[in-house]
Amino acid sequence: MAQINVVGKDARTIELDLPKANKHILHEVVTWQLAKRRQGSASTKTRAEVSRGGKKMYSQKGTGNARHGNRAAPTFVGGGVAFGPKPRSYAYTLPKKVRRLGLAMALSDRHSSGDLIAVDSFAVNGAALDGKTKSFLSWAKEHGLDGTRRVFLVTDDAQVRQGARNLPWVTALPVAGLNVYDILRHDQLVIDAIVLEPAKEEVAQ
């Protein structure tokens, strides 16, 4: 049972039954995420699509050359491409249980390394952050975030995200953007505590 200390106005401890991180599961989820993000716009022209005349190049017999009917053939420079890429989607389906398990494992990994900070409310000297970078830096300094490590900030507080967005070492997203890939590619995770509380039932599944 993982015990996560919550910082902020309502300091408390959240208990979560987080599974031990499994590299195979995390790899599956990250691969699925990145596949969905692929643009899939690579495209080549076939011999039917290139701009070439359709006239037979030379006589079928008597020239000593190989038989060819058209310069659009893939064997010629400027001809079509055989079996080249066409626009497509690289997305595929991954079971919801695997996705949830991967997210729980990513949270577990950050918690086990001491790099998970759950926040009830963002405030400096009792005052909520005002959306300025200076205010966020003050809050970050109080909680040991000095810019030497990359931080993934997940919060629905728009003022906090606004204050952090200009910092090159912070990636700020709303709660809906929480994902395994960004958790793993950053050194520390700062997240709204309320996100973890309803996750008890989901993580246990």
Side-chain angles (χ1 to χ4, degrees):
M1 186 69 72
Q3 293 188 333
I4 302 172
N5 295 322
V6 179
V7 300
K9 186 177 180 181
D10 184 13
R12 59 190 184 282
T13 299
I14 298 175
E15 291 189 349
L16 280 178
D17 186 14
L18 294 174
K20 185 178 179 180
N22 180 298
K23 289 184 179 179
H24 174 70
I25 297 294
L26 292 174
H27 178 268
E28 287 291 323
V29 177
V30 169
T31 302
W32 166 76
Q33 263 191 256
L34 296 182
K36 287 202 308 174
R37 292 185 183 186
R38 291 188 66 174
Q39 190 171 5
S41 59
S43 182
T44 55
K45 290 184 178 182
T46 66
R47 63 183 296 168
E49 296 170 326
V50 294
S51 179
R52 286 290 190 182
K55 182 181 177 182
K56 188 170 175 63
M57 298 160 56
Y58 45 73
S59 298
Q60 178 80 348
K61 294 179 178 292
T63 66
N65 295 312
R67 296 170 292 182
H68 288 295
N70 163 341
R71 283 205 178 272
T75 52
F76 294 109
V77 174
V81 176
F83 308 111
K86 284 292 184 181
R88 53 165 288 198
S89 170
Y90 288 88
Y92 59 91
T93 303
L94 192 68
K96 279 187 179 180
K97 284 189 176 181
V98 177
R99 284 181 263 166
R100 289 175 180 172
L101 184 59
L103 183 57
M105 286 181 175
L107 293 173
S108 175
D109 182 70
R110 285 294 166 264
H111 176 261
S112 63
S113 62
D115 295 318
L116 172 61
I117 301 176
V119 185
D120 175 68
S121 58
F122 294 82
V124 177
N125 297 325
L129 300 191
D130 56 6
K132 295 183 179 179
T133 303
K134 185 177 180 179
S135 299
F136 179 80
L137 284 173
S138 297
W139 181 90
K141 187 175 181 180
E142 284 183 10
H143 295 86
L145 308 177
D146 56 6
T148 58
R149 306 181 73 196
R150 293 175 301 170
V151 175
F152 183 34
L153 174 64
V154 181
T155 177
D156 277 337
D157 190 327
Q159 292 288 79
V160 176
R161 296 201 308 272
Q162 182 178 326
R165 68 185 180 184
N166 288 329
L167 299 173
W169 48 275
V170 178
T171 299
L173 291 178
V175 170
L178 180 64
N179 65 88
V180 174
Y181 175 64
D182 280 324
I183 291 176
L184 296 180
R185 77 186 184 94
H186 290 81
D187 301 309
Q188 292 178 295
L189 172 64
V190 178
I191 188 171
D192 284 345
I194 195 172
V195 179
L196 302 177
E197 292 175 321
K200 290 182 181 179
E201 296 180 2
E202 294 183 2
V203 172
Q205 289 178 357

